[in-house]
Each structure stands twice: as C-alpha cells, then as structure tokens.
C-alpha cells in the first residue's frame, strides 16, 4: 500500500474526526486536497524515531509494532528488553534493575529472530522465553514485534515474535561514517561510577560496504532481598523457599522447650485460638551487588554482485561475565518442625485448613534454632556467536528469492560458592557443644578421647547457647526485625545480648562451605533456508505467490553438578562441609575407636570465620529495618568458588546431578506456500506452513544417593526419540478505508516447542539431615521432596490466534491504534505437586514426599485489548511550546484463564501474565534539546502454583517504574545526555495468595547515567 504525505492538522479537528471515524467508519477530515501544496515536514530525534516506527507498522503485511533508534547507538535503554517494554503487549521482568526476560501478551512462548532468522542467545540455551540481559541496546537500530504470523515469517511464537534489527553497511551513505559514545552510570546504593563505551564504524562505496560496532560496559547494580528463606536467590521465581504450615495446638504442644524460648513465652500470650497459618523454614535479608562486564560486537559485510544479486554476511557476538555477590543474615529452624513461628497479628481468611481457620499473619514471634550470617556468590559467564550469510536476488523482475545459512553457538557457565557464619555453640542446633575431629585438627583445650588421637573439640565456644527470640513485623513498607537487645546465654557471659554476639567476630565459626547447583550449558543452532516469490502482472486478485523451505537443527547439552571435596582431610568427600554432617554413611565412614566404640568424625571442625577468608562487618541489608550488623565473608572470595574450595580442601570432584543433566536434539523441516492478494483497498495473504519435528532426548537415571550431599549416582541413560507434525494456517487481511485508516484481521495457528529442560530434566531429590533424636534415621540424610521437571512425551505449545486491529494514521509521526486479540491455547504445560514414595539417601524407602512435576495442561484462553497512541503535536500545531511535545502511550488488558483453582476456589490465570499493563511516555524536542519521561505499569502476576506446601500460589504484586532521559546537541555532531532509571526506587513485592502474607521483596536501586556521543 502506498504511504500518503501528511499535511499538518489542527489538533481539535483531529480529535473530532477520531470520534466520527470510529463511530461511522467514514473518512477522516482535513486530508490533503488534490492540487493543494503540501508542507514538507522534516523529522529527527525522538520524533523521527516515532515516525519510523509508525511507517513500519503501516507497511507491514500483518499486525506489527516497532521501536526505532533516534540515531546511531541511541536506543535510550540499557538492554534491548528495556526498549521493548515500550511496545503494547510486551511485558518484561528486571534482573538487578535491568530489563531481562520478555513476554508478549502475557506468555513467554516467544521466538527471537535476528534480522529475520532465529537467534540463539546464551541466556536461552534451553529455554524459549527471550532473555536479553546480556545484549546491549546500542547495537540495534530497532526491533519489530509481530503479533500475528505470516507463513513466510519463519519460526514464530505463540503470542508473538521479536525481530531484532542490527545495522548493516548499506544502511548508511557512501563514504566513512563513525559514531562513538562514552558514559558513566551510577547507582544510589552501590555508589560506583561505572563506565560504558560504544561505537560504530562504517564504510560504503557504490557496491560494497563494511560495518563494525561494539559496546562494553562494567556496571555494579544493587539487588537487595528480604523475606522467606529461598533455595535459589538468583531466581526471582523461586523466592518462596521452604514453607509449611503450623497451628496453635502444635505450638502449645511445644511450650517450655524447643522451639519457644522462655523469654518468648513471657512476651506473648499463647492460647489455642484454633488457627492454622503459614510457617517458613527461615527468614532472610541480604544485600547483593551484581557486577556485569558486558561486551557486544556486531560486524557486517555487504556487496552488490550485479544482476540483482546482493551478498550479506553478519557476525553477532555477546560476552557477559556476571558476579552476584551477596551478604546477608538469616534466622532459620534448620529444616526441623514448623512450630517455631507464633503469629501475634493475623487475619482470618475464611478458609479451612487442617480443620482450623486459616489465618494470614503480619507479625510473628520467632524462636529460630540458628541465627547466622551468610555469604554467597553466584557467577555466570555467558557467550554467544551468531553467523549469517545470505544471497538476495531482486533484479526488478517477477522473480525474487533468498538463500540463507545461519549458525549459532551459545554457552552459559554458572558457578556457586557459599559460606555461613554460625553464631550458635551447638547446644540448640545439635543438642551438644562438641564435635569429634581427627588428631591433626585438635588444639589446646581439646580433650583427646580416640585411640588414634582424635579429640572432642568445642563448637564455637564464644557462641550463644539457646534459641534467640526475634520479632518479625511485615506491616510497614518494608519488614522490621527486632529483639536483638534481648539477653541470651552463651560464651560471652551473663548480660550479653544477641546484638553483642553479632558484633563479636570471635563468636562466629564457619557453619558450612559448599559449591552446588553449578551448571554448564551449551547450545548450537544451524539453519538453512530458501524462499522465493513470483509476482503476477496481470492485475488479478492474486498478486504474488511465495514459497519456501527451511531446515533447522537445535541441540543442547546441559549439566548440573555439585562439588564434593575431602571432609576434614579424610577419604570421605562431602558436598556440604558442615558442622552438622557426620561421616557415618554405609558407603563411606571416617572415624576411630573411642572407648571400644567406633565414633565418626564430623565433616567440619571448629573453623574461625576469618581463617580462610577475608571478613568484614556488614550493616546494609537493603531497606529492611532493625537488623544490627554481622560479620561475614567477603563474597569476592568466591569469584572462582571451585578453585577456592579445591585450594582449601586439597581437591574436588564434580558430581553430576543426573536428574538435572540432559541432551536434547531437535530438528525441524518446514515448507510453506503463501498467496498474496489484493483488490483495490483490500489486501492480504493466506498461507500454509508444515513443520515436521524430530526430537531426541537423552535423560540420566538417578541411582543411589551419594553420601553427605543431595546428589545421586548416574545409573544409566534413557533415550527417547519421537516425531510430530504440525500444519499451520495463517490469514492476514488489511482494508485501507482511506489514506489514513487501515482495518486488519488476522488468524493464525502457532506451535512452539517446550523449553528443552521440560523434555530432558529427570528426577531430582532434596535431602535434609534428620535432627529428631528419636528417629531411626537420626543424623542421616533423609528425603524431603524433589522435582520431576522433564518428560519427552509432553506436547509442544499449540494455539489458535485471532486479531482485529484498527489503525488511524494522523500525521507523519502520529497515529492511533486499537486491537482485539484472542489466544486459544490447545496444549501447554503446568506445574503440579504429587505425593510419591521416595528413598532416603541410603536407598531405603521410608516415606512419601511432595514432588514438583510438569504435566500436560488441557488448554486455556487469553484474550484482551491493546490500545496505543503516538502523537507529535507539531503534526497539528505550527507554533508555541506545545508544538514541541509528543506522547507515546499504550495500554493492554489481557485477562487469562488457565488450569486449576486456588485455595479460595477462584480460577487461576496463566502464570507470568499481568492482566493490565500500560506505558506512558511524554517527550519534548526542540532543535537541540530532547527530553523524555516514561512510566511503566504492570499489574500482579502469578509466579508459581502450589508454591507453599502445594496449596498457596506465589504472586508478584503490581509494579510502577519511572525512567527519564534528556539530551542536548552541543553541535551538529556532539551530544551530551542524561538518563535516570527507576528514579522512584520501585521494588518488587511477592506474596502467597493474600497480600497480607508477605513472601519477599526485591529492591533495585535508582540509577543515573551521564554521557556524550559524537558523530562523524
């Protein structure tokens, strides 16, 4: 369709015309009359980028939204995810305050393309959901989001497809073009001055061109947390940690002993009110600084070979090293019963649990067995390389075509290091204050009792000797901890408070060393494709026909492992070198005879916190209130945790976790035919795509448990091979009502493979130490739960999608659009918890435990409405301050209905979908000055089903982010600029079904950027 040239329109007339057009479908007023001279409008900067995005949408054969850079390297965002959130229907999540994972219309089943072909990124080796945290925005000239698919689009997502567009040599004028920028970023909390540099160099003649661009950043980002103790603090989707439930009767049954301390009983009046309530394994607060070294490179070569043939070769490279250095404090009940929490402020939900009224609470008295500091460092090394070579043929005749070959490689290496500073002397946690250690670790004051010189060694003699009493209050904006001024018995003598122990370095010993859930993932992608088109010149209804074939092969190797090292210099290796791990397994034991009885050693003796590590006194745990400082290990000590552990313990063995290690190969052969048609103002296309998928999955069988950890032996492989075929129909139509108004209708069928781990993951069991002295497995590892995430027989995501769109083009840089959509999901996966009998670490089945598994969902629907407006006021106003302003705003309403109900009986939505989202950006632009104020809102979203004891679901509360940017052109070639991200200090809050039942909070700091850009 042809694009009209716009004249300026009075704003009032424009609004009036909108009402008339929407109501009656009539032509808008104030068109350019035939023969009337049109005023030329020159666009640049924010306005120019908005105009470019509008033109992309207008000219597309289907429903598309786009973003465009204002200038070279000038998408005003850190990652490309940050930029994409300005598009209607796009929902993003932030990682350490930077844009990372992306949804479209509430679903993560989104395919990413790079310049029109599939892209393999290091953060999505085994997943489908785009994660662009390692991809700098400076490398892109724009991005397109396809809401509906055409047959020739290539691989497409369920709810949408993202096409990232890089610069190429023929995008520029002949000769040499150069652009360079340098900036400093600074965060409110970290206080670091972080450098970011980027540049582009392009040379082009009349038939050949070379382009190279790059970006490097070293940033330090604050990422604080408080709430329920969590199993994986690097994963916001797993913030629930270990949870259970208790009731008043259970707490009363433990009066006078563990877990309620005597001073706690005097502080609260405990009566049986017939309540049931949530209990956590522990609560925690930490301050994390995430350091990211991000490098992105993009190279491209283009040549006009003559006779309509053009050669393009591209290379796209990313490399990001990330360190999540974390220091915190936690109060836990050490994986024992749930009766250590007693709520004093609670609300009746009206639900019945265990025959009691279920209450959600906001204040609780805690009697933890263990109060400790901890240090954790989870690091990632992400690399990706994507190559593209293509030949395009277009000599102006009826036949055009393209041959393309793509190769992608991506790796992600995850490493974990952990250290905890224990404050207890063992009296409450172990029921004893001494450990048996080999003779070489004995010291002055230790009592030799073993035949080989082994001794009983005091556990942290200056630690406290009873359960602390802490009050936890979540009624304010951020939780408050208190009770540290209460006196507690122990090695510091009478009158010492809990805060006194926390301030005394000699009151700490190392509770545990570990390096676990390390990961190595490697993926490859190879694509070969051909597509051609034949245009008819007879003026008939069918204007052209497109055909194509594509072969892709995607493979992934994923290995997760725990590090085992010698325990106390014995022949037994342990995953957890901890003061509560006893080396008495039937598979391996270490110890000696004491008074005629074999006595096992402990895995870790009394090790002062600062013996092997650098330590500091920390007082900053984010916005949580009331916690005095603690001594903790410097997390930078674990930048290379495996080397650190091997250096301390002499050696290390990487024990693969069979249930979380797999290989997947997926080949897809697709063919399509598409007919393009048009008659007057009516155009469109109809196509059929056939995809044959060949899937091979190798899973590992988990054998007997390996002692002193939660790792199993590899008992062999399961190899599964299956094929399936999909025939996908697509129809896209557009009716150009007049030069300004387009109405579109689209129908398409979609298929997206599952995340590869949903095919390949096996059974993984979690174990804990049985601390019940009356249990036959006392001091042994017993099974507590697990996950069975993978099933090769699961079907891919499949859906039928309907879209109806109204687009009104008001001016060169102004438009209004409204779209209705419906996504009918035929098949998808969901999480479920089942109770299954499982063996303890010694291989004996004694108990049934909850297993979190992936099952086939029966389907669901997601429908809604999108509305957007882009206004450049100088499209309507010639003079005055208002003429320099503009608006870019959109709204998405997407209610969904998934499977299952919650504890209240309400139907659950699709996980990760926010029902409402809107973005509002107001901008101002003169000849040299530009400014933008952007607001992003996202309503609550379901994070995980059955997150709390299989009954309560985890939600993230609504979020509101505000970002600002401004720039000034000092000369025509030099610009200075300022950005502010999350300037209001928004934080993410999670809760369990009821907002009063806080799960956790993540806090990301406001960040500010000052930079300069030069163009040559």
């Amino acid at each position: 369709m042809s694009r009209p040239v716009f004249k300026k329109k009075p704003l009032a007339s424009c609004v009036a015309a909108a009402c008339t057009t929407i109501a009656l479908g009539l032509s808008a007023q104030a068109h350019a009359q035939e023969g009337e001279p049109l005023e030329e409008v020159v666009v640049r900067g924010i306005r120019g980028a908005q105009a470019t995005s509008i033109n992309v949408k207008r000219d597309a054969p289907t429903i598309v939204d786009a973003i465009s850079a204002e200038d070279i390297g000038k998408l005003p965002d850190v990652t490309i995810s940050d930029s994409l959130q300005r598009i209607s229907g796009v929902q993003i999540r932030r990682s350490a305050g930077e844009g990372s994972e992306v949804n479209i219309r509430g679903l993560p089943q989104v395919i990413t393309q790079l310049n029109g072909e599939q892209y393999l990124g290091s953060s999505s080796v085994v997943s489908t959901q785009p994660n662009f945290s390692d991809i700098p925005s400076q490398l892109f000239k724009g991005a397109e989001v396809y809401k509906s698919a055409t047959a020739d689009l290539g691989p497409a997502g369920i709810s949408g497809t993202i096409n990232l567009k890089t610069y190429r040599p023929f995008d520029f004028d002949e000769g040499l073009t150069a652009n360079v920028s340098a900036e400093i970023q600074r965060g409110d909390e970290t206080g670091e001055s972080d450098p970011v540099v980027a540049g582009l160099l392009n040379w082009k003649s009349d038939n050949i061109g070379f382009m190279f661009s790059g970006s490097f950043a070293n940033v330090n980002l604050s990422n604080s947390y408080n709430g329920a103790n969590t199993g994986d603090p690097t994963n916001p989707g797993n913030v629930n940690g270990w949870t259970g439930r208790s009731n008043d009767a259970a707490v009363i049954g433990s009066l006078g002993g563990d877990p309620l301390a005597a001073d706690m009983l005097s502080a609260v009046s405990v009566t049986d009110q017939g309540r049931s309530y949530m209990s956590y394994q522990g609560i925690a607060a930490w301050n994390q600084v995430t350091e990211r070294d991000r490098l992105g490179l993009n190279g491209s070569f283009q040549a006009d070979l003559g006779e309509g043939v053009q050669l393009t070769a591209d290379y796209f490279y990313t490399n990001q090293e990330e360190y999540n250095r974390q220091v915190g404090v936690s109060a836990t009940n050490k994986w024992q019963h749930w009766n250590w929490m007693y709520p004093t402020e609670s609300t009746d939900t009206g639900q019945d649990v265990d025959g009691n009224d279920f209450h959600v609470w906001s204040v609780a008295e805690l009697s933890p067995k263990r109060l400790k500091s901890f240090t954790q460092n989870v690091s990632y090394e992400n690399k990706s390389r994507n190559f593209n070579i293509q030949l395009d043929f277009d000599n102006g005749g009826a036949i055009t075509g393209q041959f393309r070959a793509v190769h992608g490689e991506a790796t992600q290496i995850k490493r974990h290091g952990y250290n905890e500073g224990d404050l207890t002397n063992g009296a409450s946690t172990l029921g004893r204050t001494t450990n048996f250690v080999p003779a070489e670790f004995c010291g002055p004051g230790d009592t030799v009792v073993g035949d080989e010189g082994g001794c009983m060694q005091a556990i942290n003699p200056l630690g406290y000797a009873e359960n602390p009493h802490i009050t936890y209050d979540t009624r304010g904006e951020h939780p408050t901890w208190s009770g540290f001024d209460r006196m507690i018995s122990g090695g510091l003598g009478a009158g010492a408070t809990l805060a006194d122990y926390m301030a005394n370095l000699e009151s700490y010993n190392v509770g545990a060393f570990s390096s676990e859930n390390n990961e190595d993932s490697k993926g490859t992608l190879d694509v070969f494709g051909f597509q051609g088109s034949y245009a008819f010149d007879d003026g008939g209804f069918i204007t052209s026909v497109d055909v194509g074939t594509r072969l892709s092969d995607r493979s992934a190797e994923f290995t997760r492992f725990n590090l085992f090292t010698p325990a106390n210099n014995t022949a037994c290796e342990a995953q957890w070198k901890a003061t509560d791990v006893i080396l008495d397994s039937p598979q391996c034991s270490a110890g000696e005879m004491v008074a005629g009885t074999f006595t096992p050693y402990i895995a870790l003796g009394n090790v002062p916190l600062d013996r092997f590590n650098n330590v500091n006194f920390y007082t900053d745990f984010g916005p949580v209130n009331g916690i005095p400082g603690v001594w903790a290990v410097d997390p930078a000590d674990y930048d290379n945790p495996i080397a650190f552990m091997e250096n301390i313990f002499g050696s290390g063995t990487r024990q693969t976790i069979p249930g979380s290690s797999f290989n997947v190969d997926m080949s897809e052969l697709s063919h399509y035919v598409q007919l393009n048609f048009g008659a007057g103002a009516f155009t469109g296309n109809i196509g059929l795509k056939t995809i044959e998928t060949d899937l091979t999955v190798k899973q590992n069988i988990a054998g007997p448990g390996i002692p002193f950890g939660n790792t199993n032996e590899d008992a062999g492989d399961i190899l599964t091979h299956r094929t399936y075929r999909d025939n996908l129909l697509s129809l896209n139509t557009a009716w150009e009502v007049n030069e300004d108004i387009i109405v579109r209708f689209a129908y398409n069928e979609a298929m997206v493979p599952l995340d590869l781990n949903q095919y390949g993951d096996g059974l993984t069991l979690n174990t804990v130490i049985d601390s019940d002295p009356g249990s036959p497995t006392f001091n042994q590892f017993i099974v507590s739960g697990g996950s069975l995430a993978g099933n090769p027989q699961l079907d891919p995501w499949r859906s039928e999608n309907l879209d109806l769109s109204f687009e009104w083009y008001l001016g060169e840089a102004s438009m209004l659009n409204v779209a209705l959509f419906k996504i009918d999901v035929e098949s998808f996966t969901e999480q479920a918890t089942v109770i299954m009998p499982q063996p303890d670490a010694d291989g004996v089945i004694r108990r049934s435990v909850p297993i979190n598994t992936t099952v086939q969902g029966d389907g669901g629907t997601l429908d809604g409405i999108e509305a957007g407006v882009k206004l450049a006021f100088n499209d309507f106003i010639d003079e005055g301050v208002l003429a320099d302003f503009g608006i870019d705003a959109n709204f998405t309403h997407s209610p969904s209905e998934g499977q299952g109900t919650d504890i209240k009986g309400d139907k659950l939505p699709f996980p990760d979908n926010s029902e409402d989202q809107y973005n509002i950006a107001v901008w101002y632009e003169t000849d040299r000055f530009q400014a933008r104020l952007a607001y992003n809102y996202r309503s609550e979203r379901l994070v995980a089903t059955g997150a709390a004891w299989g009954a309560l679901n985890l939600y993230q509360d609504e979020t509101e982010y505000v970002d600002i940017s401004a720039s000034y052109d000092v000369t025509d070639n030099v610009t200075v600029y300022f950005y502010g991200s999350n300037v209001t200090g928004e934080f993410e809050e999670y809760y369990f079904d009821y907002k009063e039942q806080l799960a956790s909070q993540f806090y990301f700091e406001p960040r500010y950027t000052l930079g300069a850009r030069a163009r040559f």
Side-chain angles (χ1 to χ4, degrees):
M1 64 189 66
S2 61
R3 185 185 312 141
V5 178
F6 292 96
K7 64 176 289 185
K8 294 187 176 182
K9 305 175 183 178
L11 186 58
S13 300
C14 180
V15 174
C19 299
T20 304
T21 303
I22 294 174
L24 304 176
L26 300 177
S27 181
Q29 302 300 309
H31 288 306
Q33 302 298 317
E34 184 175 357
E36 180 181 347
L38 298 179
E39 181 177 351
E40 181 181 358
V41 179
V42 179
V43 296
R44 62 183 300 275
I46 300 175
R47 186 182 191 280
Q50 188 161 293
T52 301
S53 300
I54 288 174
N55 289 336
V56 170
K57 184 175 185 69
R58 182 185 187 93
D59 294 340
T62 184
I63 299 172
V64 175
D65 286 293
I67 52 172
S68 301
E70 301 163 21
D71 200 348
I72 302 171
K74 200 181 175 185
L75 279 172
D77 305 286
V78 177
T79 71
I80 193 65
S81 298
D82 293 311
S83 300
L84 287 166
Q85 74 174 334
R86 300 200 300 270
I87 291 178
S88 62
V90 174
Q91 302 167 345
I92 75 166
R93 288 169 58 189
R94 300 198 181 197
S95 169
E98 297 182 333
S100 56
E101 295 178 339
V102 177
N103 287 354
I104 296 178
R105 291 174 170 174
L107 294 179
Q109 284 68 38
V110 176
I111 295 296
T112 302
Q113 297 181 354
L114 183 65
N115 297 316
E117 186 49 85
Q118 190 168 357
Y119 169 76
L120 182 63
S122 58
S123 297
S124 52
V125 171
V126 299
S127 69
T128 301
Q129 183 175 28
N131 186 330
F132 302 136
S133 60
D134 61 336
I135 305 179
S137 66
Q138 296 96 328
L139 300 183
F140 298 96
K141 68 176 182 179
E144 300 165 342
V145 175
Y146 292 85
K147 308 292 184 61
S148 179
T150 56
D152 64 348
L153 180 61
I158 291 291
S159 56
T161 305
I162 297 174
N163 181 31
L164 307 178
K165 300 173 67 176
T166 62
Y167 291 99
R168 285 172 164 171
F170 286 0
D171 294 331
F172 301 93
D173 295 331
E174 289 190 16
L176 187 66
T177 302
N179 183 86
V180 63
S181 65
E183 62 189 45
I184 294 294
Q185 296 184 8
R186 190 174 181 88
D188 266 4
E189 297 294 324
T190 56
E192 298 281 346
S193 296
D194 301 325
V196 180
V197 294
L200 178 144
L201 185 67
N202 188 85
W203 179 83
K204 175 191 171 186
S205 69
D206 58 348
N207 58 5
I208 195 171
F210 301 86
M211 192 280 302
F212 175 81
S213 64
S215 173
F216 172 77
N218 173 257
V219 296
N220 295 272
L221 313 164
S222 178
N223 188 10
S224 301
Y225 171 94
N226 65 76
N229 231 24
T230 173
D232 186 358
T234 64
N235 179 9
N238 187 27
V239 296
N240 54 287
W242 300 280
T243 60
R245 61 189 185 274
S246 186
N247 57 70
D248 291 325
V251 174
I252 291 174
S254 57
L255 290 179
D258 186 37
L260 295 178
D263 66 328
M264 180 174 171
L265 295 180
S266 65
V268 298
S269 175
V270 182
T271 59
D272 189 351
Q273 304 174 38
R275 301 178 304 174
S276 287
Y277 37 78
M278 280 199 62
S279 182
Y280 306 145
Q281 181 267 338
I283 58 172
W286 69 68
N287 181 14
Q288 176 175 302
V289 175
T290 297
E291 180 183 2
R292 288 176 176 156
D293 285 339
R294 181 186 295 120
L295 174 65
L297 301 174
N298 179 36
S300 183
F301 167 77
Q302 287 185 298
D304 184 351
L305 304 182
E307 304 297 328
V309 179
Q310 179 176 292
L311 170 67
T312 301
D314 302 305
Y315 174 68
F316 191 82
Y317 172 83
T318 65
N319 183 348
Q320 178 170 280
E321 295 182 4
E322 175 178 313
Y323 299 93
N324 294 279
R325 303 186 180 102
Q326 178 188 118
V327 175
V329 59
S330 69
T332 78
N333 204 37
K334 199 176 171 290
W335 299 283
Q336 297 185 27
H337 44 73
W338 303 107
N339 307 332
W340 68 293
M341 286 185 161
Y342 184 77
T344 56
E345 294 286 341
S346 66
T347 303
D348 190 351
T349 66
Q351 305 299 319
D352 178 85
V353 172
D354 300 331
N356 294 310
D357 296 328
F358 181 67
H359 281 237
V360 292
W361 54 265
S362 56
V363 183
E365 300 297 323
L366 316 178
S367 182
K369 284 186 173 294
R370 172 177 286 174
L371 179 74
K372 64 183 180 182
S373 69
F374 64 90
T375 293
Q376 185 161 248
N377 191 337
V378 180
S379 61
Y380 295 87
E381 184 178 356
N382 293 359
K383 291 183 180 180
S384 71
R385 297 188 297 172
N386 284 262
F387 302 87
N388 168 72
I389 186 167
Q390 66 187 68
L391 286 172
D392 293 278
F393 173 73
D394 184 356
N395 65 356
I399 298 176
T400 59
Q402 180 188 88
F403 169 78
R404 192 164 188 179
V406 168
H407 174 72
E409 301 173 358
T411 59
Q412 182 178 78
I413 298 173
K414 174 188 173 184
R415 295 293 181 262
H416 166 268
Y418 178 79
N419 172 295
E420 63 185 34
D422 217 339
L423 281 161
T424 175
N425 69 356
S428 61
T429 56
L430 301 174
R432 52 185 170 80
T433 59
T434 57
N435 283 327
F436 188 52
V437 297
E440 62 187 290
F441 298 104
C442 296
D446 296 336
T447 303
V448 177
V449 296
D451 291 354
E452 301 174 25
C455 63
M456 300 305 296
Q457 185 178 78
I459 301 171
N460 195 22
L462 293 182
Y464 63 74
E466 61 179 310
N467 286 7
H469 173 198
I470 297 172
T471 302
Y472 184 58
D473 187 342
T474 66
R475 289 175 296 184
E477 184 177 36
H478 303 291
T480 297
W481 299 35
S482 59
F484 300 100
D485 57 347
R486 297 178 177 125
M487 289 183 291
I488 189 170
S489 64
L492 295 184
T497 65
L498 185 57
D500 292 332
Y501 283 89
M502 297 168 71
N504 182 43
L505 177 59
E506 284 71 32
S507 293
Y508 294 77
N509 72 334
V510 177
F513 290 104
S514 69
S515 177
E516 52 195 21
N517 289 319
N518 302 286
E519 296 175 1
D520 290 332
S521 58
K522 177 182 179 181
T524 60
L525 173 70
D526 289 291
V527 179
F528 298 93
F530 167 79
Q531 54 188 11
S533 178
Y534 182 81
F536 301 99
D537 58 1
D538 57 2
F541 180 69
I542 304 299
T543 58
S544 64
V545 58
D546 304 326
V547 296
T549 186
R550 179 181 182 273
L551 174 65
S552 72
D553 184 81
R554 180 185 177 192
S555 66
E557 302 175 15
F558 186 89
T559 303
R560 182 175 287 131
F561 67 89
N562 295 324
L563 184 70
F564 281 65
T565 55
N568 253 337
N569 208 25
T570 67
C572 293
E573 291 191 334
Q575 174 183 331
W576 298 307
K577 280 66 64 179
T579 55
D580 55 2
V581 175
I582 300 174
L583 303 179
D584 63 348
S585 169
Q587 295 101 313
C588 185
S589 62
E592 58 188 276
M593 301 301 292
V594 175
T597 301
F598 178 80
T599 303
Y601 298 135
I602 203 74
L604 184 70
N606 186 34
V607 178
L609 190 63
D610 58 350
R611 175 173 294 176
F612 300 114
N613 292 98
N614 298 295
V615 297
N616 295 292
F617 191 70
Y618 294 90
T619 59
D620 183 5
F621 307 103
V624 68
N625 303 303
I627 303 175
V630 294
W631 286 94
V633 168
D634 185 344
D637 287 1
Y638 297 99
D639 281 357
N640 189 341
I642 293 179
F644 177 86
M645 300 289 182
E646 291 175 344
N647 181 57
I648 292 179
F649 299 105
S651 63
T653 301
R654 304 185 184 198
Q655 296 285 5
T656 297
I657 305 173
S660 300
S661 302
F662 56 87
N663 289 27
V664 175
D665 287 291
M666 177 180 294
S667 295
E668 291 182 337
L669 178 62
S670 63
H671 312 278
Y672 76 85
V673 58
Q674 177 173 294
L675 298 178
N676 304 296
F677 52 80
F682 182 73
T683 59
N685 59 75
I686 184 170
L688 178 66
K689 179 188 293 185
T690 298
I691 305 176
E692 298 179 1
T693 303
D694 192 314
L695 179 67
T696 302
V697 180
K698 188 191 83 169
Q699 296 172 287
N700 297 301
I701 302 172
I706 299 174
F708 320 125
N710 63 343
T711 311
N712 298 84
E713 295 179 5
D714 190 340
D717 300 329
I718 298 177
L719 192 66
T720 303
H721 179 259
R722 61 178 293 212
T723 60
Y724 53 86
R725 180 189 181 104
D726 289 271
N727 296 311
L728 307 177
L729 180 66
S730 63
L731 171 67
N732 295 271
T733 64
W735 175 36
E736 190 170 353
V737 179
N738 55 49
E739 290 182 333
D740 293 348
I741 297 174
I742 300 175
V743 178
R744 301 181 192 267
F745 170 79
Y747 167 83
N748 73 280
E749 298 168 345
M751 182 278 292
V752 171
L754 303 181
D755 291 348
L756 300 188
N757 63 296
Q758 292 183 304
Y759 295 124
D761 268 351
L763 177 64
T764 300
L765 297 178
N766 301 322
T767 58
V768 299
I769 292 178
D770 188 348
S771 301
D772 183 359
S775 171
T777 54
F778 176 58
N779 275 337
Q780 297 180 30
F781 284 97
I782 59 174
V783 65
S784 61
S787 64
L788 179 59
N791 181 353
Q793 300 302 327
L794 291 172
D795 290 331
W797 281 71
R798 295 187 173 103
S799 71
E800 295 183 2
N801 302 348
L802 288 170
D803 290 86
L804 179 63
S805 171
F806 170 86
E807 301 165 7
W808 183 20
Y809 296 89
L810 306 169
E812 189 78 19
S814 302
M815 71 164 294
L816 170 72
N817 68 280
V818 179
L820 301 174
F821 61 88
K822 181 180 181 64
I823 302 174
D824 188 357
V825 180
E826 173 190 342
S827 68
F828 68 106
T829 60
E830 59 182 353
Q831 295 301 113
T833 300
V834 297
I835 305 299
M836 300 172 60
Q838 295 297 332
D840 291 328
D842 59 5
V844 179
I845 297 177
R846 300 183 179 90
R847 66 201 86 236
S848 294
V849 296
I851 302 295
N852 186 32
T853 187
T854 304
V855 297
Q856 195 78 58
D858 295 330
T861 60
L862 189 151
D863 51 24
I865 183 172
E866 294 175 353
V869 58
K870 297 178 185 290
L871 294 177
F873 289 162
N874 62 2
D875 277 341
F876 319 104
I877 302 173
D878 290 316
E879 298 178 354
V881 175
L882 189 61
D884 299 323
F885 280 89
I887 295 174
D888 186 354
N890 59 71
F891 169 76
T892 304
H893 177 65
S894 56
S896 63
E897 187 174 285
Q899 294 293 307
T901 58
D902 62 18
I903 193 172
K904 297 168 282 189
D906 297 332
K907 195 77 171 177
L908 291 175
F910 272 116
D912 213 28
N913 175 50
S914 292
E915 184 170 304
D916 293 312
Q917 178 187 338
Y918 49 87
N919 303 283
I920 302 173
V922 178
W923 53 265
Y924 174 80
E925 179 179 277
T926 62
D927 288 342
R928 294 194 176 275
F929 179 74
Q930 304 174 52
R932 185 199 313 257
L933 173 65
Y935 171 82
N936 171 262
Y937 170 85
R938 183 174 178 181
S939 64
E940 65 182 18
R941 67 182 181 91
L942 174 62
V943 177
T945 58
W949 39 274
L952 298 185
N953 307 299
L954 183 68
Y955 285 86
Q956 180 188 342
D957 205 355
E958 62 185 11
T959 57
E960 299 173 297
Y961 285 98
V962 177
D963 302 322
I964 59 175
S965 63
S967 65
Y968 180 76
D969 296 332
V970 180
T971 69
D972 290 342
N973 295 320
V974 177
T975 300
V976 294
Y977 54 89
F978 171 81
Y979 301 153
S981 174
N982 188 24
V983 296
T984 58
E986 177 73 352
F987 60 92
E988 296 180 356
E989 184 161 295
Y990 296 78
Y991 61 89
F992 293 109
D993 268 328
Y994 304 89
K995 291 190 177 183
E996 298 86 351
Q997 193 63 66
L998 176 71
S1000 60
Q1001 295 178 339
F1002 277 89
Y1003 177 74
F1004 307 134
E1005 64 184 347
R1007 290 186 62 80
Y1008 303 96
T1009 299
L1010 182 64
R1013 181 182 299 106
R1015 298 169 293 276
F1016 306 99

